[in-house]
Amino acid sequence: MTTIQRSDMWYSKWRWLLNLGGLFMYIGDICTDTALAFRYFQEAQYVWSGMTALFIITGLVINQIFSYAWFSDNMEDKQEQVMSCRSKGRLLALHIFGMGIFLRYYHLLRLGCRVVWRASSSDNATVQKRHHELFCLATDLSMLKLFESFLESAPQLLLQLYIWQGHDEWFILQYLSLAFSFFNLAWSLVDYRSCLRRSLPHIRGLHSGPATVVYLLYKLFTITSLTLSYSLLLTLSVYTTVGLTVFWLLGTIWAHLLQTNFCTSTALELLYRGIIGAILVFSFFNVKGQNTKLEMIIYYFSCTAINVSTPLMLFFLKPEMKAIIFFWSVSGLIYGGSLLGLVSLVWYYHFLHPKRSDPDEVDGLEKETPSARRIRTFIKP
């Protein structure tokens, strides 16, 4: 039997270093946002302080819920060895204190260090299995980071942009918060997609060359232009929050109609569908596991309509904005970002998108592990 070795199926030293960098980025995002909440509180900006803290707490709490549930699933499966020696009580205590993400980083980096930084005398099949397990661990972590990004980083980015438009002076902490939120959001999308494809043996990975760059640009441009449009709409009227709530509700209903099967319990599944709704407010996210060309066209047509109409609405409804350089700068970023995002999207899916090969059954996986099931239910076309 011929063993086919694919370089993109190996958990490399570079991937290990990127995960380490992701940990520092996560810490930086949380720390800058927390410091910003305290700064607003000291300045008696209690509404901004409360909203900044609310986004931090929301992302943190939901991440702990899913992390604990997934650890519990893994502990109950005999094929999963991670955390099998720890009691659920101790595991629960760690998640209550918000340490779930750090616990996962600890296990991933420790196991990754053993596999990629130390010489192994194991046979090729064992080594391949360990690398696949590492990508499963990395994918679980990247899922949680993705949740955190759209529940904390994206709303935080929108909030700080809205505050920015109402103040002439900014302090360094606000710039740091924006930068960490922006890059944490962008990287979480690329990292998740990359980990997902590499953890599935029959799916060709998202290579680290042109495809990754174009995919990153597509996400950066589309999310940035849409977020800036939202911030301008909030400047026009705070009732824009009602429209954003409607978008979230529509996304949640869509996920519900698709009858997603991502979690092991009904309560978690409903919560997961709500998270999908939050993601869809800022970016398209495929949860069908099949071709979604029509849905993507409808989604980005709607986003383009918002991006095109928002600066025009402010131009005619708030004439005083025409004298502000900020308005013209943001409008240029919206139109330019929207155009470049659509071009990058078409370029990626037409020329660089990994194609699915025959999904033959993988030898040795007679019983599907919880991590593998989560990955399988999240396949992207």
Side-chain angles (χ1 to χ4, degrees):
M1 177 178 177
T2 302
T3 301
I4 299 175
Q5 296 185 5
R6 286 171 38 188
S7 59
D8 62 340
M9 286 301 297
W10 294 93
Y11 187 91
S12 63
K13 294 180 180 179
W14 175 243
R15 167 59 59 180
W16 188 89
L17 291 173
L18 287 178
N19 284 133
L20 182 62
L23 172 60
F24 287 113
M25 188 178 294
Y26 173 74
I27 294 174
D29 188 26
I30 296 297
C31 288
T32 53
D33 290 343
T34 301
L36 194 58
F38 279 109
R39 175 69 179 265
Y40 286 142
F41 186 83
Q42 292 175 348
E43 295 179 349
Q45 300 284 348
Y46 300 122
V47 175
W48 303 144
S49 176
M51 293 186 68
T52 302
L54 177 63
F55 292 141
I56 297 172
I57 294 171
T58 300
L60 186 64
V61 169
I62 289 180
N63 260 352
Q64 304 313 305
I65 293 173
F66 278 97
S67 178
Y68 176 75
W70 295 350
F71 266 136
S72 298
D73 289 344
N74 291 342
M75 291 171 66
E76 293 173 359
D77 192 279
K78 293 181 180 180
Q79 293 183 356
E80 292 285 347
Q81 300 299 321
V82 180
M83 290 298 295
S84 60
C85 62
R86 294 180 180 271
S87 66
K88 282 195 174 183
R90 186 177 180 182
L91 182 65
L92 179 60
L94 288 170
H95 282 80
I96 288 176
F97 287 100
M99 300 300 293
I101 294 291
F102 297 105
L103 185 62
R104 288 182 174 275
Y105 266 116
Y106 168 74
H107 282 286
L108 175 62
L109 294 174
R110 185 184 66 170
L111 182 58
C113 184
R114 292 177 179 177
V115 173
V116 303
W117 293 100
R118 299 178 185 176
S120 175
S121 59
S122 304
D123 59 274
N124 188 57
T126 301
V127 172
Q128 285 183 332
K129 182 178 179 181
R130 288 178 179 175
H131 280 267
H132 178 66
E133 289 174 354
L134 277 170
F135 272 118
C136 287
L137 290 174
T139 302
D140 274 359
L141 181 59
S142 66
M143 288 180 191
L144 295 173
K145 288 288 298 297
L146 190 72
F147 292 170
E148 185 268 340
S149 294
F150 282 97
L151 294 173
E152 195 272 331
S153 297
Q156 204 72 260
L157 189 63
L158 178 58
L159 174 63
Q160 302 311 320
L161 284 172
Y162 173 72
I163 296 173
W164 186 20
Q165 295 173 22
H167 296 78
D168 295 330
E169 295 183 1
W170 261 44
F171 43 88
I172 188 64
L173 196 56
Q174 289 173 304
Y175 287 108
L176 289 174
S177 176
L178 272 179
F180 273 109
S181 295
F182 181 77
F183 286 107
N184 191 49
L185 176 63
W187 178 247
S188 68
L189 287 161
V190 176
D191 181 58
Y192 172 74
R193 191 177 184 88
S194 177
C195 283
L196 174 71
R197 291 188 173 277
R198 286 184 169 92
S199 58
L200 291 165
H202 59 278
I203 300 294
R204 198 180 80 190
L206 177 64
H207 298 297
S208 58
T212 299
V213 174
V214 174
Y215 183 82
L216 176 60
L217 291 176
Y218 144 53
K219 285 297 183 180
L220 284 180
F221 286 132
T222 54
I223 292 175
T224 299
S225 58
L226 190 59
T227 303
L228 288 172
S229 293
Y230 288 158
S231 67
L232 287 183
L233 288 173
L234 285 170
T235 302
L236 184 63
S237 173
V238 293
Y239 291 106
T240 299
T241 53
V242 177
L244 295 177
T245 303
V246 171
F247 288 162
W248 166 79
L249 187 59
L250 289 175
T252 303
I253 293 174
W254 181 60
H256 182 75
L257 292 176
L258 294 175
Q259 292 297 304
T260 58
N261 185 27
F262 184 71
C263 303
T264 55
S265 69
T266 303
L268 280 180
E269 190 66 37
L270 292 175
L271 181 58
Y272 163 73
R273 292 170 184 174
I275 294 173
I276 294 301
I279 294 176
L280 289 170
V281 172
F282 296 94
S283 180
F284 184 79
F285 201 66
N286 179 9
V287 295
K288 292 183 68 174
Q290 60 188 47
N291 193 309
T292 55
K293 181 183 294 185
L294 177 61
E295 290 83 352
M296 181 177 285
I297 290 174
I298 294 173
Y299 180 87
Y300 281 111
F301 178 83
S302 301
C303 291
T304 302
I306 293 173
N307 291 336
V308 171
S309 62
T310 296
L312 293 176
M313 289 174 61
L314 264 74
F315 184 86
F316 290 108
L317 298 179
K318 296 190 72 172
E320 65 274 14
M321 295 290 291
K322 291 185 288 186
I324 303 177
I325 298 179
F326 172 83
F327 168 74
W328 295 106
S329 300
V330 172
S331 298
L333 289 173
I334 290 174
Y335 288 137
S338 182
L339 176 61
L340 292 174
L342 292 176
V343 170
S344 299
L345 183 153
V346 173
W347 184 268
Y348 172 75
Y349 280 100
H350 188 70
F351 297 106
L352 302 172
H353 183 258
K355 305 299 181 183
R356 183 175 304 180
S357 59
D358 293 334
D360 294 334
E361 184 178 357
V362 181
D363 293 336
L365 295 181
E366 296 179 358
K367 182 178 183 300
E368 195 174 39
T369 64
S371 293
R373 188 189 64 81
R374 287 193 292 272
I375 294 168
R376 176 180 57 75
T377 57
F378 236 66
I379 295 175
K380 308 290 191 303

